[in-house]
Structures are given as structure tokens and as C-alpha cells.
């Protein structure tokens, strides 16, 4: 039987995306027969043509790099959340043919932290200064009442983070990456760097750390997350973020709430364990 409603994740590279696993688990749990969720290798040049070919059976799209910014001119409307970081990871395709963009990474971060009991902090640290770091600052704008210190590798990156802070209403102080161990003095540290980048910092985790949010999910656990947990600190991982942002995508694309968080997380854990 052909699908009556479709959704997919787009990006390049896309082969290792867990999004199909999470969304299909949600469809099964919700009893959404006739719904299909796929993945497509699509780069910036191919994106306009891909969107133009979508028929009325399409409900939505999940976007990963490098499409989160490239899609914006192709949309009819974007949410204030997406606009705040100039990045769209969710496109809802309406019955009247409109394309609506949103960013579920930011509320997904907030929800993942809330699930672990972190609702508000007086200060925080961010490791890194890439696209995920700007989303982290946007999330912190909702829960951090004081200063955020960003640990970066260059003055250009420092300027970017301070600029994002001004845009998002967050007081951002920047510090050199060489001093990144000082990040762990804050009650919340968000690590947004690529795999392996924070491994050398594992030995610097204090005896009674606060909460670590490490956005990586593969490989997992990272050396930093392992050291953090060993010293009794709370750890929020990349799978937590992936599941929470996907929950919000499922709800927007299907109109069904609440999306099945537990079933989606279990599906993600099983898929990662099989790799």
C-alpha cells in the first residue's frame, strides 16, 4: 500500500540520521497507518527543486546541515524561534500549499534539561561556537538568569558568540579554549563541539559537578560524559536532544499530541546499540 501521508529528513550527508527511526516509532505508537518517513540526500543546490516536486501527500520535513539556513528563502513563513537563530530544522507543509518553518532544537534542549530537573540556572558555560552553540544560547535565554561564558578557539568565534548573545538577549562573556576546564564551575555546561574535542577535558571534571549537556549521541558516552557521571554529575546527552526535538516535529507534522517520547527514545537506543 502506498503512503497516504509522507515526511522525511533531508541533508548531506544523511545516511546515518536517526530521524527515520524516531518518527516511524512515533507513527507506530500513534497508530498512524499510511504514514511514511524517509531520508533523502539533498544539498543546498538541490533543495529548491526537491521542494517544488512535493505533492499534497507531504506533511513535513526535518532538515539537517547544510539546509537549516538555505531553506529560509524558500519558505512562506518562519517562527520567531527559527528567526532568532536564523536556522530552520522543521518544515510543515499545509493543506493549502504553504511552507512553514520552525526550529525545534531550541525548545528540545529546554525540554531535555527540564526532564532532568534543570528548569533554571543562575549561570552557564558553553563549549564551542558553531551553529549548535547559537541554539544553546537561545535555549539558555529561556532558563539562565545570569551570565553565559562561551569557550572558543578564536577571536572571530568570540565575536560571533557575543553577537548571538546580543541578538538573543543573553549576557555572553567569552574565554579562550585553553581555559575551558573553568567551564565546569558553572551549574550547567553545554558541550556543542564535534566528537573527540572535549576528551582532553575529562580529567578536569570536579568532584561535585553540576549538569552536563553534551549534544553528541554518537559515539556515546563521550569521555567527558563518562567522567562527569563517574563524579556524580547529571548528564543530558545528544539522544535526549534528538528525541525531544523529534517529539515536537511529530506533533507539528501529524497534529497528534502528545507524541510518544518513551517509544521514540527506546527506538533510538536500540538503533544506536545495533550500530
Amino acid at each position: 500500500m502506498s503512503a497516504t501521508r509522507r515526511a522525511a529528513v533531508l541533508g548531506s550527508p544523511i545516511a546515518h540520521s536517526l530521524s527515520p527511526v524516531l518518527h516511524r516509532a512515533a507513527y507506530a505508537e500513534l497508530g498512524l497507518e499510511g504514514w511514511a518517513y524517509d531520508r533523502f540526500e539533498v544539498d543546498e543546490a538541490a533543495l529548491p527543486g526537491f521542494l517544488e516536486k512535493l505533492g499534497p501527500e507531504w506533511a513535513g520535513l526535518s532538515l539537517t546541515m547544510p539546509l537549516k539556513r538555505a531553506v529560509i528563502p524558500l519558505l512562506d513563513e518562519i517562527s520567531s524561534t527559527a528567526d532568532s537563530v536564523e536556522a530552520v530544522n522543521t518544515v510543515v507543509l499545509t493543506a493549502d500549499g504553504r511552507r512553514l518553518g520552525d526550529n525545534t532544537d531550541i525548545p528540545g534542549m529546554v525540554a531535555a534539561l527540564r526532564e532532568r530537573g534543570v528548569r533554571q540556572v543562575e549561570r552557564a558555560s558553553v563549549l564551542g561556537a558553531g551553529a549548535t552553540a547559537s541554539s544553546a544560547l537561545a535555549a539558555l535565554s529561556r532558563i539562565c538568569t545570569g551570565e553565559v561564558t562561551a569557550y572558543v578557539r578564536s577571536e572571530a568565534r568570540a565575536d560571533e558568540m557575543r553577537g548571538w548573545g546580543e541578538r538573543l538577549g543573553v549576557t555572553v562573556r567569552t574565554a579562550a579554549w585553553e581555559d575551558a576546564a573553568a567551564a565546569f564551575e558553572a551549574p550547567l555546561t553545554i558541550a556543542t563541539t564535534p566528537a573527540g574535542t572535549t576528551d582532553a577535558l575529562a580529567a578536569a571534571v570536579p568532584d561535585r559537578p553540576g549538569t552536563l549537556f553534551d549534544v553528541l549521541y554518537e559515539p556515546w558516552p563521550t569521555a567527558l560524559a563518562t567522567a562527569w557521571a563517574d563524579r556524580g554529575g547529571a548528564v543530558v546527552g545528544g539522544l535526549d536532544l534528538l528525541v525531544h526535538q523529534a517529539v515536537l516535529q511529530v506533533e507539528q507534522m501529524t497534529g497528534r499530541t502528545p507524541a510518544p517520547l518513551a517509544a521514540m527514545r527506546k527506538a533510538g537506543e536500540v538503533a544506536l546499540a545495533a550500530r
Side-chain angles (χ1 to χ4, degrees):
M1 182 180 71
S2 61
T4 56
R5 297 294 281 159
R6 298 189 66 185
V9 60
L10 315 181
S12 183
I14 202 63
H16 282 75
S17 173
L18 277 181
S19 291
V21 169
L22 302 181
H23 285 250
R24 289 169 187 168
Y27 298 166
E29 189 74 10
L30 291 169
L32 293 175
E33 297 181 5
W35 279 72
Y37 189 100
D38 302 296
R39 63 165 67 89
F40 293 95
E41 184 86 14
V42 178
D43 60 16
E44 293 169 271
L47 182 59
F50 186 94
L51 292 178
E52 287 301 322
K53 293 178 182 177
L54 298 181
E57 74 277 14
W58 282 86
L61 302 167
S62 308
L63 302 179
T64 186
M65 299 307 291
L67 305 179
K68 292 184 179 183
R69 185 165 293 177
V71 75
I72 292 176
L74 307 175
L75 302 176
D76 295 295
E77 183 182 332
I78 67 171
S79 68
S80 58
T81 301
D83 183 60
S84 71
V85 291
E86 297 179 350
V88 166
N89 78 327
T90 306
V91 177
V92 174
L93 304 166
T94 67
D96 60 0
R98 302 182 76 225
R99 303 169 183 164
L100 309 180
D102 194 14
N103 186 309
T104 64
D105 286 330
I106 295 164
M109 282 186 176
V110 174
L113 286 165
R114 186 185 300 121
E115 186 182 27
R116 302 302 173 89
V118 181
R119 295 179 175 273
Q120 189 177 84
V121 292
E122 66 272 17
R123 60 193 175 93
S125 301
V126 174
L127 301 177
T132 306
S134 61
S135 291
L137 285 181
L140 288 170
S141 73
R142 303 182 180 193
I143 66 168
C144 185
T145 60
E147 185 178 75
V148 176
T149 304
Y151 293 84
V152 300
R153 293 189 181 277
S154 69
E155 188 55 39
R157 289 293 200 180
D159 287 341
E160 287 179 15
M161 289 298 281
R162 287 191 292 265
W164 281 117
E166 291 177 10
R167 179 179 180 130
L168 295 164
V170 180
T171 302
V172 175
R173 181 177 72 86
T174 56
W177 182 260
E178 289 73 21
D179 299 322
F184 306 151
E185 298 169 8
L188 172 62
T189 299
I190 304 181
T192 70
T193 52
T197 306
T198 62
D199 288 0
L201 296 172
V205 177
D207 287 337
R208 290 186 294 277
T211 298
L212 171 69
F213 194 158
D214 194 327
V215 302
L216 291 171
Y217 65 86
E218 194 175 22
W220 186 263
T222 62
L224 180 59
T226 297
W228 203 277
D230 287 346
R231 289 166 175 78
V235 176
V236 184
L239 182 60
D240 297 310
L241 169 58
L242 196 64
V243 170
H244 276 283
Q245 64 82 28
V247 160
L248 297 170
Q249 289 185 334
V250 168
E251 292 176 350
Q252 289 190 32
M253 293 178 193
T254 68
R256 297 283 296 273
T257 58
L261 173 69
M264 294 168 71
R265 175 180 277 128
K266 181 63 175 178
E269 290 171 345
V270 170
L272 285 175
R275 288 185 176 179

